[in-house]
Amino acid sequence: KAGVTQTPRYLIKTRGQQVTLSCSPISGHRSVSWYQQTPGQGLQFLFEYFSETQRNKGNFPGRFSGRQFSNSRSEMNVSTLELGDSALYLCASSLGTVLVGYTFGSGTRLTVV
Amino acid sequence: DQQVKQNSPSLSVQEGRISILNCDYTNSMFDYFLWYKKYPAEGPTFLISISSIKDKNEDGRFTVFLNKSAKHLSLHIVPSQPGDSAVYFCAASDQGGADGLTFGKGTHLIIQP
């Protein structure tokens, strides 16, 4: 079956702009989580959506937001981009239970210049 | 403050021998622990998990051990194979998943022929 699909794979944006990243989860998975990976901080949890509702949120500023649609596809948005937002953004989907693990996409590499 | 620590940035092991990757945590609220493997340009891949009510879980060549009193877990890979060369992340979550998965910074495992 198809895995988690993230688009685009690479993105270059200018400081101050906004960006929208997309994630299509595995069919049947209703939970979608977003993570930011940077060399300094490692993998950090952004937020989780379940059945179109934000269930949990990590410690990130309000410039980071997301949403989930009725087909479980999710988008995350970053407004007023800063240089420090340059990172690999990973989306993960799951059936909803931690122990069976989350399936990650290959990520979107965002570079802010 | 890092709640999940992987103190060895890299580890080199000879093919066929045992690889032991270690992870320490500080948050006593963590109930679930997972290991992920990551190749370059790909998202993390779920390997194995364990809940806090168990002290060992096996899946093929992979075994995870949990020592709750020491707040320590380890991943054993036996025998090590060239395809095991990757970055391994330890992750933890509380029962509700309110903070998503908390990841360590990773250990780069290199399997020598």
Side-chain angles (χ1 to χ4, degrees):
Chain A
K1 60 182 176 182
V4 177
T5 304
Q6 290 188 248
T7 56
R9 285 298 306 273
Y10 302 93
L11 207 47
I12 299 175
K13 288 286 189 178
T14 304
R15 195 169 43 181
Q17 286 186 313
Q18 77 163 17
V19 68
T20 299
L21 311 181
S22 180
C23 172
S24 293
I26 290 174
S27 177
H29 285 192
R30 293 164 64 190
S31 167
V32 174
S33 302
W34 289 88
Y35 288 81
Q36 181 197 64
Q37 185 180 24
T38 59
Q41 298 299 318
L43 276 152
Q44 292 186 289
F45 171 68
L46 279 156
F47 28 67
E48 180 196 8
Y49 286 86
F50 186 88
S51 294
E52 301 179 64
T53 301
Q54 186 179 87
R55 188 156 72 169
N56 297 304
K57 190 176 194 305
N59 189 24
F60 278 81
R63 299 185 297 108
F64 292 82
S65 63
R67 58 179 177 169
Q68 186 180 32
F69 302 95
S70 58
N71 61 359
S72 293
R73 191 177 72 84
S74 177
E75 289 182 345
M76 71 162 277
N77 185 275
V78 188
S79 62
T80 320
L81 284 165
E82 300 176 1
L83 295 179
D85 297 332
S86 295
L88 180 68
Y89 289 89
L90 291 159
C91 167
S93 75
S94 79
L95 289 168
T97 52
V98 176
L99 278 178
V100 299
Y102 296 85
T103 303
F104 282 84
S106 296
T108 293
R109 171 73 63 186
L110 172 65
T111 302
V112 182
V113 297
Chain B
D1 178 37
Q2 263 190 282
Q3 297 187 69
V4 177
K5 294 181 186 179
Q6 295 178 255
N7 291 319
S8 300
S10 68
L11 176 67
S12 184
V13 174
Q14 203 165 11
E15 182 180 355
R17 307 291 288 266
I18 182 171
S19 294
I20 300 176
L21 296 100
N22 293 303
C23 177
D24 297 296
Y25 63 96
T26 58
N27 189 342
S28 56
M29 298 300 291
F30 287 147
D31 275 317
Y32 304 118
F33 303 89
L34 302 89
W35 284 93
Y36 280 83
K37 176 168 83 171
K38 188 178 185 301
Y39 294 119
E42 294 182 14
T45 301
F46 170 69
L47 276 175
I48 191 168
S49 65
I50 189 167
S51 77
S52 58
I53 62 172
K54 299 177 76 173
D55 55 17
K56 177 182 173 182
N57 189 27
E58 276 182 89
D59 185 2
R61 297 186 298 115
F62 302 94
T63 303
V64 56
F65 294 93
L66 175 62
N67 182 334
K68 277 195 71 177
S69 60
K71 293 191 175 68
H72 176 85
L73 64 154
S74 60
L75 174 69
H76 293 210
I77 306 173
V78 184
S80 300
Q81 299 174 353
D84 295 331
S85 294
V87 178
Y88 288 76
F89 292 95
C90 168
S93 170
D94 63 25
Q95 208 167 59
D99 296 321
L101 291 176
T102 302
F103 282 86
K105 294 276 179 84
T107 296
H108 186 193
L109 176 65
I110 302 160
I111 305 301
Q112 308 264 2

